[in-house]
Amino acid sequence: MPQILNPEQLTLQISADQFSFADTSELIASNSKSAQQQAWIAQSEAKKAAEFGLNLQQPGFNLLALGEAGTGRTSLMLSAMQEAAAKLPLANDIVALYQFDANGKPLYLKLPAGVGTQLWQAQDQLIRQLIKELPNLLESKTQQSSLAPFGAFLDTQLSAIKTNISYITQDKALTQYFEWVRKDILDYLEAWQPNAEADSNIEALLSESFLGRYRVNLLVEQKPKNTEVLKNIQTSIAPETQGSPVIYDNDPSLQSLFGGVEGSGDANSMPDFLRLRAGNLLRADGGTLLLHLRDILADDQNGAQLLEKLHRFLRNRTLQIEDLGSSSNQGGGFVNAQAPISVNVKLVLIATREDYYELLEEKPDFFDYFPIKIEFAEKVKANSDNYAAYAAFIAQKCQQFNCLHFNAVAVAALLEAMHRHEEDQIRLSTQFSLLEKLILESVASAELRNAKVVGLEDVKMAIDRRYSRHSYIEAHMRNSIVDNELMIAVHGEAIGQINGLTHIDLADASFGSPVRISANCYAGQRGIFTIDREVAMSGPTHDKGVMILQSWLHTNFAKLNPLNMTASLVFEQEYNGVDGDSASCAELFAILSSLAECPIKLGIAVTGALNQHGEVLPVGGLNEKIEGYFRVCKEIGLDGKQGVLMPERNLRHLLLNDEVIDAVKNGMFHIATMRNIGDGVQHLMGQSLETVNHLAEGKLNEFKLTLEMNLPKRH
């Protein structure tokens, strides 16, 4: 039997009595956790996987974070990355030096944090001293025909550098480098001879083409307390990082990730190794780098190349800085021939499940390098712990934005809104971005009335205003129904006609609207056909529902098979196409009504899918469908006979607004559930399924006789 629902069954009421606070400001003093930490509570399984992957220091264990946008993927992973990085030692400085025994190709060295900066400063000071003393030293060379003054000068300078930077004596490569520096300067000056234009001759020695080779290209600089933010607006280093680097590249490109070669107007004025610039992969050496897969896939011009280079990097764990921005050979000769740099970086790749599985089919081996998968849940169970975590999250957001706090009743209303977004009375949505917006909009409402705390009326006002901002198209369709341009009847009865409910999703808004479904049955052998499918205006899911419907008819009238019937179905005045199987119950009721000639109550709209056994299956968009139909009935005129017939298995998804609930309380609207086709027939036609089947069998027998009478006679 169909069940008429009472008002208490139509929504979820969260009691504010379960909270021990008067308003969320009290949660700040009692809880020092950040909003991110509170959000992690609702993503406990994801947190375990993230912590495991980030604390696993062996190379090759990169992380793949899967989830929908707005679930906190980026902010939560960044907070976890920063927490893990704080436990690790500082990463190395990375410098590029002139390699004297390799035709000037770069010599890459990884040095303890701070040593790279000291080396850069020391070499810069050496060059300054060399420029200052060079004229006098050259004059001494000319007068004494000896490089002894130069040797003594260099020994003094290099000794001072080694004294100030004790690490040099511990590094064989650096020790060898300074030996080469001394030898190269002396060899070069030994070959120098004055000429008639001595000034210009000395000027050549003072140019960057000579002195530049002794400079240091500080590619990556680490600091004990790194509060610097990169000037490149597309890339930011988290200021909280005190250990290994944590970098988030929110606009990845070939150059931002892999680095590049700075252009030069005069290729001979600066040594090539000084024009190298590090990318984020190199900057993140010894730490973690966060990327969004969508940012890579959305790059139509370089996305494929970027993905391929990233794949090679993951395979080889080495990086080669190339002149990616130039088609000329300027600086490209040494770059393409250089030895690659070994890089140890843990990648954190954020992706939607759709993008992940799509790329998995194209490049399955790419994800072999992301063995740690982190699944961000789109919904969590509603329990006291999660309610408390959400309340603490709200409190932390109020503190973060320095805005009004929420009283306990308003917090309960926000939680109900998160249930509504998920369309589930026992689960909460984890769309924290949506919750944050709703918090700020509710605060704005409270500020307009000069309140000291955000209350229930402010949350409801924010929700109502959000609906109003996106209700234009729904209102336009509703007006078309009221003006009788779209033919929808909500009073009386009709044979072979029923009001189905459609769900229209416009990305930024969704709503429900009624649509008339009609059926005609007559003698024939075609079975059921839908006019929408005949003109290619139906989708595969809808067509599947019609085939299931036909299967149920054949099973229900098994003794009359073949049915000797042709039934046509159509969504009237629907010109944008039809898909989904949530109207299959309504379509079956229209056919049974036409066959049995039993009228259907037009005030009752129907939604529900059907299986082959006549059981009614749950559907999506239920609340929007019911509320949309209610608003149509309200505009046309409620008389207490209108309502909605829905699947019983959808009962826990009901989270209707106050207006519908009040109408149910007042007896002006009703909502009923059905478990099977029999329940629906009873509620819509006032007859049992057995009675309707008996009447339908009589009509099918008439169809059979009609066909037999019209068959050609055999002689």
Side-chain angles (χ1 to χ4, degrees):
M1 291 291 293
Q3 177 188 4
I4 306 298
L5 301 182
N6 59 54
E8 290 72 24
Q9 294 175 286
L10 303 182
T11 190
L12 171 69
Q13 293 286 347
I14 298 177
S15 174
D17 295 338
Q18 64 184 292
F19 301 121
S20 60
F21 57 88
D23 64 69
T24 52
S25 63
E26 299 175 17
L27 299 178
I28 300 298
S30 62
N31 197 327
S32 60
K33 293 181 179 179
S34 67
Q36 284 77 15
Q37 290 172 316
Q38 298 297 342
W40 269 125
I41 296 176
Q43 298 285 2
S44 57
E45 292 302 318
K47 184 179 183 181
K48 292 177 185 176
E51 289 177 341
F52 173 76
L54 291 170
N55 291 323
L56 195 61
Q57 296 306 309
Q58 285 75 10
F61 285 90
N62 301 298
L63 286 71
L64 176 66
L66 296 179
E68 294 303 311
T71 55
R73 303 169 305 171
T74 303
S75 60
L76 293 181
M77 286 308 303
L78 277 174
S79 68
M81 290 160 63
Q82 291 160 8
E83 185 177 343
K87 303 174 185 177
L88 298 175
L90 280 170
N92 292 320
D93 289 343
I94 302 177
V95 299
L97 305 173
Y98 188 87
Q99 194 166 192
F100 298 97
D101 58 345
N103 297 322
K105 295 174 184 175
L107 169 65
Y108 296 109
L109 294 179
K110 293 185 180 182
L111 307 174
V115 173
T117 304
Q118 292 176 330
L119 185 62
W120 177 81
Q121 293 171 343
Q123 287 297 91
D124 184 68
Q125 184 63 26
L126 172 64
I127 292 170
R128 290 175 183 272
Q129 290 297 322
L130 190 59
I131 292 172
K132 180 179 178 181
E133 299 295 333
L134 191 59
N136 295 332
L137 293 171
L138 289 175
E139 185 177 350
S140 298
K141 172 184 180 287
T142 303
Q143 292 175 356
Q144 301 176 18
S145 300
S146 171
L147 288 176
F150 268 113
F153 167 78
L154 289 175
D155 289 340
T156 300
Q157 295 296 323
L158 296 178
S159 176
I161 292 174
K162 293 176 182 178
T163 300
N164 293 330
I165 309 175
S166 59
Y167 178 79
I168 293 175
T169 59
Q170 306 171 30
D171 191 301
K172 292 182 179 180
L174 270 181
T175 302
Q176 180 66 48
Y177 169 75
F178 279 102
E179 291 175 0
W180 275 108
V181 169
R182 184 182 188 281
K183 182 179 182 300
D184 188 72
I185 293 175
L186 292 177
D187 288 348
Y188 200 96
L189 294 176
E190 183 178 13
W192 178 85
Q193 294 295 330
N195 57 23
E197 299 177 358
D199 290 341
S200 61
N201 200 16
I202 294 176
E203 190 67 27
L205 290 178
L206 298 177
S207 67
E208 277 296 305
S209 59
F210 169 60
L211 297 176
R213 71 180 74 187
Y214 311 121
R215 294 190 184 277
V216 174
N217 185 353
L218 185 56
L219 291 171
V220 177
E221 178 185 17
Q222 304 292 349
K223 294 182 179 181
K225 291 186 178 180
N226 190 357
T227 57
E228 178 182 354
V229 176
L230 294 183
K231 293 180 180 179
N232 182 353
I233 61 173
Q234 279 78 27
T235 308
S236 60
I237 294 180
E240 295 84 356
T241 303
Q242 295 186 11
S244 62
V246 175
I247 297 181
Y248 171 31
D249 193 335
N250 60 11
D251 190 10
S253 63
L254 289 168
Q255 188 162 357
S256 77
L257 283 179
F258 298 95
V261 181
E262 189 177 73
S264 175
D266 182 358
N268 296 320
S269 66
M270 180 187 296
D272 287 333
F273 81 97
L274 287 178
R275 298 193 293 116
L276 295 173
R277 296 293 178 264
N280 285 328
L281 286 169
L282 193 58
R283 292 191 186 101
D285 181 50
T288 50
L289 171 63
L290 186 142
L291 300 171
H292 280 266
L293 179 60
R294 180 183 179 184
D295 293 338
I296 298 174
L297 298 179
D299 189 339
D300 295 332
Q301 185 174 1
N302 298 310
Q305 184 183 0
L306 187 56
L307 200 63
E308 181 59 32
K309 282 186 69 65
L310 193 59
H311 192 179
R312 293 179 197 172
F313 170 79
L314 292 168
R315 182 183 65 220
N316 302 322
R317 294 201 291 273
T318 58
L319 184 142
Q320 189 164 297
I321 301 176
E322 300 179 62
D323 190 357
L324 300 169
S326 174
S327 59
S328 67
N329 293 325
Q330 179 184 357
F334 83 87
V335 170
N336 294 328
Q338 66 168 299
I341 316 168
S342 176
V343 178
N344 179 25
V345 60
K346 187 181 291 290
L347 281 182
V348 177
L349 188 64
I350 292 181
T352 62
R353 291 176 178 86
E354 291 78 8
D355 286 342
Y356 164 62
Y357 287 111
E358 183 177 344
L359 185 60
L360 187 63
E361 291 186 4
E362 298 178 13
K363 294 181 178 291
D365 52 342
F366 177 79
F367 291 104
D368 291 344
Y369 302 100
F370 293 88
I372 309 298
K373 188 158 69 168
I374 304 164
E375 295 273 8
F376 277 82
E378 298 173 23
K379 52 189 175 183
V380 295
K381 288 185 177 180
N383 54 44
S384 57
D385 289 340
N386 282 334
Y387 281 167
Y390 275 64
F393 175 87
I394 295 166
Q396 291 295 336
K397 283 297 176 182
C398 292
Q399 183 184 46
Q400 176 184 337
F401 294 113
N402 192 26
C403 63
L404 296 175
H405 280 270
F406 286 67
N407 64 29
V409 179
V411 169
L414 288 175
L415 292 173
E416 290 171 6
M418 298 309 286
H419 277 284
R420 163 71 184 233
H421 184 72
E422 190 52 45
E423 287 199 329
D424 199 327
Q425 294 186 12
I426 65 173
R427 287 184 174 83
L428 283 160
S429 169
T430 59
Q431 286 281 332
F432 291 105
S433 62
L434 173 67
L435 178 56
E436 182 177 314
K437 291 184 179 70
L438 191 53
I439 289 171
L440 296 177
E441 291 175 22
S442 301
V443 168
S445 176
E447 289 175 344
L448 286 174
R449 62 184 186 89
N450 296 319
K452 295 182 179 180
V453 68
V454 182
L456 173 63
E457 61 270 37
D458 301 309
V459 177
K460 288 187 175 182
M461 179 63 70
I463 294 172
D464 290 343
R465 285 176 174 173
R466 175 168 292 188
Y467 165 75
S468 298
R469 291 196 299 269
H470 300 284
S471 63
Y472 173 78
I473 295 179
E474 179 189 357
H476 177 73
M477 293 183 65
R478 187 167 62 247
N479 290 336
S480 296
I481 294 172
V482 173
D483 296 340
N484 209 29
E485 294 173 359
L486 290 178
M487 296 175 62
I488 299 292
V490 298
H491 300 100
E493 298 178 341
I495 293 175
Q497 293 182 23
I498 193 170
N499 287 328
L501 293 175
T502 62
H503 184 246
I504 300 169
D505 192 344
L506 301 176
D508 62 340
S510 60
F511 60 92
S513 182
V515 60
R516 177 184 287 183
I517 300 171
S518 63
N520 281 328
C521 299
Y522 44 90
Q525 296 180 326
R526 187 172 178 180
I528 299 173
F529 76 94
T530 64
I531 295 174
D532 298 287
R533 183 173 60 184
E534 293 295 313
V535 295
M537 288 182 65
S538 64
T541 307
H542 174 260
D543 296 342
K544 176 184 176 182
V546 172
M547 292 178 182
I548 291 173
L549 183 161
Q550 183 164 276
S551 173
W552 183 88
L553 283 173
H554 281 287
T555 302
N556 193 55
F557 300 107
K559 65 182 181 181
L560 290 174
N561 279 319
L563 294 180
N564 299 302
M565 173 193 74
T566 296
S568 63
L569 280 168
V570 67
F571 281 66
E572 294 186 2
Q573 293 182 282
E574 176 56 60
Y575 308 111
N576 297 312
V578 177
D579 201 9
D581 61 353
S582 64
S584 54
C585 282
E587 290 171 311
L588 176 57
F589 294 142
I591 289 175
L592 288 175
S593 171
S594 179
L595 267 177
E597 296 184 348
C598 288
I600 289 175
K601 300 171 185 176
L602 295 178
I604 303 172
V606 177
T607 183
L610 176 73
N611 69 15
Q612 292 190 104
H613 306 291
E615 297 170 315
V616 180
L617 307 178
V619 296
L622 182 66
N623 294 294
E624 285 87 352
K625 289 177 179 178
I626 295 174
E627 290 171 0
Y629 182 63
F630 171 79
R631 284 188 279 265
V632 168
C633 294
K634 180 182 175 183
E635 288 289 330
I636 294 176
L638 291 168
D639 62 4
K641 296 181 180 180
Q642 290 94 2
V644 171
L645 180 62
M646 54 166 272
E648 184 181 86
R649 291 172 177 84
N650 268 128
L651 193 56
R652 68 178 239 211
H653 302 125
L654 283 174
L655 289 146
L656 296 169
N657 62 31
D658 292 343
E659 189 178 26
V660 176
I661 295 173
D662 290 341
V664 172
K665 287 180 180 178
N666 297 328
M668 299 304 294
F669 197 75
H670 71 268
I671 297 171
T673 62
M674 55 180 169
R675 178 176 288 272
N676 51 48
I677 291 302
D679 292 345
V681 168
Q682 179 71 45
H683 190 66
L684 290 167
M685 305 179 197
Q687 305 280 352
S688 68
L689 180 60
E690 291 75 15
T691 301
V692 172
N693 279 346
H694 177 73
L695 295 172
E697 286 174 0
K699 181 64 67 173
L700 289 171
N701 280 322
E702 291 180 15
F703 290 163
K704 180 180 178 182
L705 291 174
T706 300
L707 288 175
E708 289 175 350
M709 291 176 59
N710 286 277
L711 286 174
K713 295 182 180 180
R714 295 182 179 180
H715 297 286

